[in-house]
Structures are given as structure tokens and as C-alpha cells.
Amino acid sequence: MTRQSISLTAPNEEWLKNQVSTEEFSSKSEAINYLIKQARSQDEYYEFVRAKIDKGEKSGFVKKQTREEMLAEFKKGLPNL
């Protein structure tokens, strides 16, 4: 594992110390590795969602240009209550 030296703001340092002292993590390194892993997973999820949105937009399924036009078209198909 690569060894790194980082600088933290006082609130972040206190948060890390608290995580270790309450045994949420066994070390600061474990906490930081966990946070990085979470951020990477979030990035992967956002990329997945962006790809799905791009695919949907390019499919031609929705041809209206604005939200208002799409909403009006969707409402046409709803029964009058």
C-alpha cells in the first residue's frame, strides 16, 4: 500500500479522530480509504445514470423540447378525474 501525507482542516481532523475513538474505524487510514471508496462508487453510479439519460435522449422516444411540452403531452393521456 502506498503511504501518503495529507493536510486536513481542523473540523476534518476532529471528525477522523472521533471516528477512530468511537471505534467506527480502526484507524484514520481505514476511514479515509472507506470515504474514497464511497466517492468512487458514487462517481460510477453517476456515470451509469448519465449514460442511461444520454441513451434515452438519443433514442428519439421523446421528441418535445421543453419540460412544459412534455408535461402537457403526458397529461393528455391521463383520464379526467
Side-chain angles (χ1 to χ4, degrees):
M1 205 177 286
T2 305
R3 189 166 179 83
Q4 297 290 318
S5 175
I6 61 171
S7 298
L8 300 171
T9 62
N12 289 343
E13 174 65 18
E14 285 304 311
W15 184 86
L16 276 174
K17 284 181 185 177
N18 187 48
Q19 298 305 301
V20 174
S21 70
T22 60
E23 298 181 357
E24 186 71 26
F25 295 97
S26 62
S27 68
K28 291 179 185 179
S29 292
E30 182 183 351
I32 290 171
N33 277 311
Y34 172 79
L35 294 172
I36 292 170
K37 183 178 178 182
Q38 291 297 102
R40 289 173 53 202
S41 293
Q42 187 177 41
D43 286 346
E44 289 172 9
Y45 175 74
Y46 288 152
E47 287 175 28
F48 170 79
V49 170
R50 276 189 219 111
K52 293 293 184 183
I53 291 170
D54 289 343
K55 182 179 178 183
E57 288 175 341
K58 291 175 183 173
S59 74
F61 178 73
V62 177
K63 304 221 182 305
K64 303 295 180 192
Q65 297 300 315
T66 67
R67 286 176 55 159
E68 292 76 20
E69 290 173 326
M70 287 189 285
L71 183 59
E73 186 167 319
F74 293 145
K75 285 183 176 180
K76 283 184 200 174
L78 296 176
N80 293 329
L81 299 175

